[in-house]
């Protein structure tokens, strides 16, 4: 079992921010959302508790959704 927050404390902390997959702050392993069937992590702008399958320690994952809108493709007006 990894020491609590060992990977996060070893730095640099930016490795744990804005990733496609959550990274365990204890052991540093990626948490595969599909493999762990953790689809709830895609809830927008929320914090979730998960257990790392590699080191079996719990950690928090914050999800952030960013929406953008485009109106550049329009049907021509008659």
């Amino acid at each position: 079992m990894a020491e609590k927050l060992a990977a996060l404390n070893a730095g640099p902390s930016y490795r744990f921010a804005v990733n496609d997959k959550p990274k365990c702050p204890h052991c540093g392993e990626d948490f595969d959302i599909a493999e762990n069937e953790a689809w709830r992590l895609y809830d927008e702008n929320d914090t979730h508790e998960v257990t790392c399958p590699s080191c079996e320690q719990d950690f928090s994952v914050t999800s952030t959704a960013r929406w953008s809108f485009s109106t550049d493709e329009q049907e021509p007006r008659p």
Side-chain angles (χ1 to χ4, degrees):
M1 181 180 281
E3 182 181 325
K4 281 196 169 276
L5 305 176
L8 179 62
N9 291 336
S13 62
Y14 66 79
R15 291 185 4 216
F16 296 85
V18 194
N19 293 308
D20 291 338
K21 295 179 183 176
K23 185 176 290 295
C24 177
H26 307 296
C27 68
E29 293 293 318
D30 285 343
F31 179 88
D32 190 292
I33 294 170
E35 186 177 299
N36 292 289
E37 296 186 12
W39 306 114
R40 70 187 187 284
L41 297 182
Y42 286 112
D43 287 347
E44 45 188 276
N45 304 319
D46 206 356
T47 300
H48 312 274
E49 293 297 318
V50 298
T51 301
C52 177
S54 297
C55 71
E56 299 180 351
Q57 292 199 62
D58 297 334
F59 63 97
S60 297
V61 176
T62 302
S63 61
T64 304
R66 180 176 176 205
W67 297 95
S68 60
F69 301 92
S70 301
T71 58
D72 58 334
E73 293 185 29
Q74 301 286 318
E75 292 292 324
R77 296 177 94 177

